Amino acid sequence: MIRKNKVVQGIVFSIIGLFTLITMVILIVIVFHIISNGLKGISLSFILQYPEEMGKSGGIFPVIVGTLYVTLLAVIIAAPVGVLAAIYLTEYSKKGKVVELIRFGTETLAGIPSIIYGLFGFAFFVIALGFRWSILSGALTLSIMILPTIIRTSEEAIKTVPMSFREGSLALGATKWQTIAKVVIPPAMPGILTGVILGVGRAIGETAAVLLTAGSSLNFPTSIFSPTRTMSVHLYILSSEGLSKLNSYATATLLIVIVFIINTFANLIIRRYNRILGRG
């Protein structure tokens, strides 16, 4: 019986390993195809110049700036709200229908298609609140989109902190908030940062929601009320309208590079934080 279980376990592990390998191969092929075609169009002038002929020629400097503005503002709005919501759900709330309803709503929001968020953002932020097509409208819409990811990830990270940490802190006379701020949050910070990174990854690559709320202007954004075009929207327009295949691949390559840099930088912060906590 034990030998049979080991055989079954070996078969299952082999199947899992095979599908993992297939996934990695597909990912490598896609990334290699994009980068091999995109490197031909990337140059310093492409990065620093303004678009010409609706993006058919010239560079994408305003597009890069618009992408960073929208993504950064979305994270600035969503991260504090998401982390505070996770703290409430794990440290203050009591089990009941209200908490279950909040968690159900969070999970439901995570599964809503991005076009629905875009329509909501267009109707509420752009029209009802009068923000028009702008960086602010796009960032507010994206912040709602990435909020469920940050809440759920932060919640799970906070739950991993042993209850003995809280009990020891409270026994020494610390208040509830002091315990959360100085005892619970520091060990959970790597997990919280992971949730924020996942949110950044979704926000920076979003197209439909941003197109309906931030617009597709190629002008350089001068304030949060300026319309802008993100790199994902620029890539979509170039590809769908057949304006420039070379610029499409170049834009996609730069987008991959930016996401890679953000993830690498964030992982370095997490590793350093883990070393400070004595985990690595």
Side-chain angles (χ1 to χ4, degrees):
M1 186 69 181
I2 296 176
R3 185 177 179 182
K4 183 178 179 181
N5 288 337
K6 287 184 177 180
V7 171
V8 173
Q9 190 177 30
I11 294 173
V12 172
F13 284 161
S14 299
I15 294 174
I16 293 173
L18 177 62
F19 281 106
T20 303
L21 180 62
I22 292 173
T23 303
M24 291 299 297
V25 170
I26 293 173
L27 176 62
I28 292 171
V29 169
I30 292 174
V31 173
F32 177 78
H33 173 74
I34 293 173
I35 293 178
S36 61
N37 287 279
L39 287 176
K40 303 172 185 176
I42 294 179
S43 63
L44 191 60
S45 60
F46 179 74
I47 297 173
L48 298 179
Q49 285 184 355
Y50 281 60
E52 298 176 2
E53 300 180 88
M54 299 302 294
K56 188 175 181 179
S57 59
I60 59 168
F61 181 66
V63 179
I64 295 175
V65 174
T67 302
L68 296 178
Y69 279 176
V70 172
T71 304
L72 182 61
L73 185 57
V75 173
I76 289 174
I77 296 170
V81 176
V83 174
L84 290 175
I87 291 173
Y88 170 77
L89 290 172
T90 53
E91 302 297 323
Y92 287 100
S93 65
K94 297 179 181 180
K95 291 184 179 179
K97 292 184 178 180
V98 176
V99 175
E100 291 178 1
L101 183 63
I102 293 174
R103 287 201 172 98
F104 175 76
T106 302
E107 294 171 358
T108 303
L109 284 174
I112 295 177
S114 60
I115 187 66
I116 304 299
Y117 283 104
L119 290 172
F120 169 78
F122 177 75
F124 187 66
F125 298 123
V126 176
I127 298 177
L129 296 184
F131 293 156
R132 300 176 296 178
W133 283 314
S134 63
I135 292 174
L136 181 60
S137 297
L140 288 170
T141 304
L142 288 180
S143 66
I144 298 174
M145 287 184 61
I146 64 178
L147 198 56
T149 302
I150 296 176
I151 292 175
R152 294 299 293 164
T153 309
S154 300
E155 191 178 354
E156 294 302 320
I158 294 172
K159 285 180 180 178
T160 61
V161 180
M163 187 59 66
S164 59
F165 285 22
R166 300 170 175 83
E167 294 171 350
S169 176
L170 293 172
L172 291 172
T175 63
K176 180 76 171 178
W177 177 248
Q178 287 175 332
T179 299
I180 293 171
K182 297 183 179 180
V183 177
V184 177
I185 295 300
M189 188 57 69
I192 293 173
L193 289 176
T194 300
V196 174
I197 294 169
L198 292 174
V200 170
R202 183 175 184 185
I204 203 170
E206 187 52 51
T207 303
V210 181
L211 181 61
L212 291 172
T213 53
S216 60
S217 173
L218 288 173
N219 296 324
F220 188 87
T222 56
S223 72
I224 60 173
F225 295 102
S226 300
T228 191
R229 178 184 293 190
T230 62
M231 294 178 70
S232 57
V233 172
H234 188 63
L235 172 60
Y236 167 74
I237 292 175
L238 290 180
S239 301
S240 61
E241 297 183 6
L243 295 174
S244 175
K245 184 177 180 180
L246 181 61
N247 283 356
S248 298
Y249 277 112
T251 302
T253 301
L254 280 178
L255 188 58
I256 291 174
V257 170
I258 290 174
V259 172
F260 177 78
I261 291 173
I262 292 174
N263 288 342
T264 301
F265 182 70
N267 285 327
L268 289 174
I269 295 176
I270 292 174
R271 289 180 183 178
R272 184 170 182 178
Y273 206 91
N274 282 329
R275 282 198 296 268
I276 294 173
L277 295 174
R279 294 180 179 179

